[in-house]
Amino acid sequence: MNSRIVIVGAGPVGAVTALAMAQQGLEVTLLEADTHYDEKPRAATTHASTLEMLAELGIIDEVLRQGLVSPRFQHWDRVSGELVAEFDYTRLADETPYPYALQCESHKLVNIALERLARQPNARLLRQHEVTAIDQLGKRVEVRCMTPEGETTILADFVVGTDGARSVVRKSIGSEFEGYTFPERFIGMTTPFDFEQHYGYANRSYFADPDRWVALFKVADNDMRGIWRVISPATSDESDDVVLSEAALQQRLQHFFPREAAFEIRYRGVYRFHQRVAASFRKGRVFIAGDAAHVNNPAGGMGMNSGIHDGMELTRILAHIARHGIDETLLDRYQRRRRELNIEVVQRDTVLNKRRLEERDPQIRRAHLDDLRRSADDPLAHKQFLLRASLIESVRKAQQIA
Ligand SMILES: Cc1cc2nc3c(=O)[nH]c(=O)nc-3n(C[C@H](O)[C@H](O)[C@H](O)COP(=O)(O)OP(=O)(O)OC[C@H]3O[C@@H](n4cnc5c(N)ncnc54)[C@H](O)[C@@H]3O)c2cc1C
């Protein structure tokens, strides 16, 4: 049996999943509504657990070439100016061939995966195919899409929805997106100002502050000259235009990183963050993965990573089914492994990471920072912290779930 798989959405999760499935000999059609993947700053931090998977797919060299290796990350107390904890991934050298996080922007990963997918004779990418409806009719799934030439229907044996947080596929299987959206907005911007050179900040640095926390990341940028991303909450009710005005952004940056000259700001945008997990990751022959199945705030860089882990798990399941026939236990295992671990690790840790940054209660705040300090200072705890933060532990745990 050669399963015909339709994957909806060529973001990082859909593109990598399509490549993985095609390499397993499955017949893959990847449908993408847009003409290209948006370059608005989103995922970049790619953890060791995911880098190992990208190595399996033969794209690791290109991903490393276009990314920025970040062997350490820091937690600062912005109020006292103290470095609370520095974590060093090189301590995972005996656990993974990639003892670091790689800052590789998600649009680069999408392009690398799609370029490789184009070489697979059993895969095709159809752009400007916006999926509008999905119907399951026995063993067949009908996928309806809108194209510039009008409506068309594609038949599949299995469908995987990697169509992002507003997933049409998730809605088609009636799966509730359980959880909440943070009431506050978040401001993201980029600047070429070199925070490492001027302040000694690591490529990934978090600054806890009950009034206004900030997360700082360096990515390679398209020209590989490096650019810093700054994310912090908007604390006022002012309109997006006002909070994104040059004056407001300069003031925001100066508040965090005082200096005499103005910062050069290249990108500015408003984000909403959510903590949501779909009630079900599958109905019949239709699955959801990545942001279609779960969303979280970006503290810790886990959304895209865990989405790619979903895609690799689904690949193993569908490749096995293509060779040995339908196995309901195996189909159910997807939900058991991926949904439970998302809640247990990704949702829990990203919520905790955000709380550590914003906590207002002085006692709880001190306890959070002391926890981080203790984890960094004790060699065993340091390693445990990194195994969890890099999602190596969650991938290993998933393999134990039957
Ligand atoms: C500021 C920020 C920083 C982040 N940083 C990190 C990080 O460092 N590390 C990390 O792991 N995660 C991070 N994340 C989360 C990460 O960006 C997402 O988890 C990731 O983009 C999810 O990928 P995806 O492929 O599931 O969905 P998306 O990236 O949303 O891609 C979905 C794709 O589906 C297409 N599509 C949508 N609807 C349809 C349709 N009906 N038909 C056809 N195609 C459709 C879209 O055009 C798009 O191409 C961050 C998020 C934000 C906002």
Side-chain angles (χ1 to χ4, degrees), residues 222-234:
N222 287 345
D223 61 10
M224 299 300 290
R225 292 168 71 178
I227 193 148
W228 292 77
R229 295 178 173 181
V230 187
I231 297 176
S232 57

Side-chain angles (χ1 to χ4, degrees), residues 234-382:
T235 45
S236 69
D237 292 334
E238 289 158 322
S239 70
D240 287 359
D241 286 349
V242 172
V243 289
L244 290 181
S245 67
E246 183 68 22
L249 293 182
Q250 290 295 343
Q251 202 182 25
R252 182 174 282 269
L253 282 168
Q254 292 287 351
H255 172 80
F256 298 135
F257 313 110
R259 70 190 280 260
E260 282 189 5
F263 288 88
E264 179 188 339
I265 298 168
R266 298 242 175 108
Y267 172 86
R268 60 194 69 188
V270 169
Y271 297 83
R272 288 272 175 192
F273 296 145
H274 325 263
Q275 302 288 156
R276 291 182 187 274
V277 180
S280 171
F281 282 19
R282 173 177 87 95
K283 185 174 180 190
R285 290 167 168 258
V286 178
F287 301 84
I288 48 174
D291 275 19
H294 45 76
V295 283
N296 53 269
N297 83 75
M302 292 187 170
M304 176 190 73
N305 282 276
S306 58
I308 290 173
H309 301 179
D310 297 342
M312 297 301 282
E313 175 69 21
L314 260 184
T315 301
R316 278 188 289 275
I317 292 172
L318 293 184
H320 186 276
I321 283 174
R323 287 181 197 115
H324 305 287
I326 280 283
D327 176 344
E328 282 293 330
T329 321
L330 208 57
L331 289 175
D332 286 342
R333 196 176 77 187
Y334 176 61
Q335 162 111 356
R336 279 198 302 276
R337 287 189 171 179
R338 299 307 313 159
R339 185 172 184 275
E340 284 173 26
L341 276 168
N342 190 276
I343 293 168
E344 191 184 315
V345 180
V346 175
Q347 298 297 323
R348 187 190 161 279
D349 286 11
T350 53
V351 168
L352 177 61
N353 288 343
K354 183 169 175 289
R355 277 204 192 124
R356 280 187 184 126
L357 291 172
E358 68 194 3
E359 184 57 56
R360 284 170 179 269
D361 181 296
Q363 265 181 322
I364 303 176
R365 179 171 198 272
R366 197 171 322 113
H368 279 324
L369 299 184
D370 285 348
D371 265 359
L372 282 170
R373 203 175 281 115
R374 267 195 302 274
S375 297
D377 288 349
D378 174 66
L380 199 65
H382 192 119

Side-chain angles (χ1 to χ4, degrees), residues 26-238:
L26 300 172
E27 197 185 309
V28 177
T29 300
L30 177 57
L31 303 174
E32 168 55 47
D34 222 326
T35 51
H36 65 284
Y37 188 68
D38 192 355
E39 289 195 12
K40 175 178 175 175
R42 295 177 71 190
T45 304
T46 314
H47 291 299
S49 49
T50 308
L51 296 174
E52 289 178 23
M53 294 171 187
L54 301 181
E56 276 176 44
L57 302 180
I59 56 174
I60 189 67
D61 290 346
E62 192 52 28
V63 173
L64 287 174
R65 199 182 66 75
Q66 294 192 34
L68 187 71
V69 169
S70 301
R72 62 191 179 121
F73 65 97
Q74 298 172 333
H75 283 270
W76 294 79
D77 180 349
R78 217 193 68 76
V79 180
S80 67
E82 177 204 3
L83 174 63
V84 176
E86 176 168 300
F87 291 94
D88 176 5
Y89 282 110
T90 61
R91 298 195 191 194
L92 296 186
D94 55 348
E95 301 282 348
T96 173
Y98 309 101
Y100 42 78
L102 186 78
Q103 302 293 101
C104 181
E105 299 93 316
S106 48
H107 67 269
K108 292 181 180 172
L109 177 59
V110 168
N111 293 338
I112 293 168
L114 292 183
E115 188 270 326
R116 198 57 73 91
L117 186 74
R119 301 185 205 168
Q120 290 283 149
N122 53 332
R124 59 178 178 157
L125 164 65
L126 302 178
R127 291 197 186 275
Q128 293 184 283
H129 277 59
E130 183 184 354
V131 171
T132 52
I134 290 173
D135 292 308
Q136 299 196 52
L137 311 157
K139 291 180 179 175
R140 211 174 55 170
V141 191
E142 274 186 14
V143 182
R144 257 177 287 151
C145 21
M146 193 50 84
T147 76
E149 283 77 44
E151 208 183 27
T152 177
T153 300
I154 297 172
L155 294 181
D157 297 314
F158 295 96
V159 170
V160 180
T162 52
D163 49 340
R166 295 190 181 139
S167 174
V168 167
V169 181
R170 184 184 66 242
K171 288 171 193 152
S172 84
I173 62 171
S175 178
E176 200 61 41
F177 212 16
E178 296 168 346
Y180 57 91
T181 297
F182 292 102
E184 69 271 39
R185 292 162 300 166
F186 299 83
I187 310 301
M189 49 188 146
T190 66
T191 170
F193 180 79
D194 192 338
F195 291 95
E196 185 171 26
Q197 192 192 331
H198 288 89
Y199 296 101
Y201 297 149
N203 286 350
R204 291 175 66 214
S205 292
Y206 296 96
F207 301 82
D209 185 334
D211 291 327
R212 212 183 255 188
W213 57 266
V214 59
L216 185 66
F217 308 93
K218 187 180 183 187
V219 297
D221 208 3
N222 287 345
D223 61 10
M224 299 300 290
R225 292 168 71 178
I227 193 148
W228 292 77
R229 295 178 173 181
V230 187
I231 297 176
S232 57
T235 45
S236 69
D237 292 334
E238 289 158 322

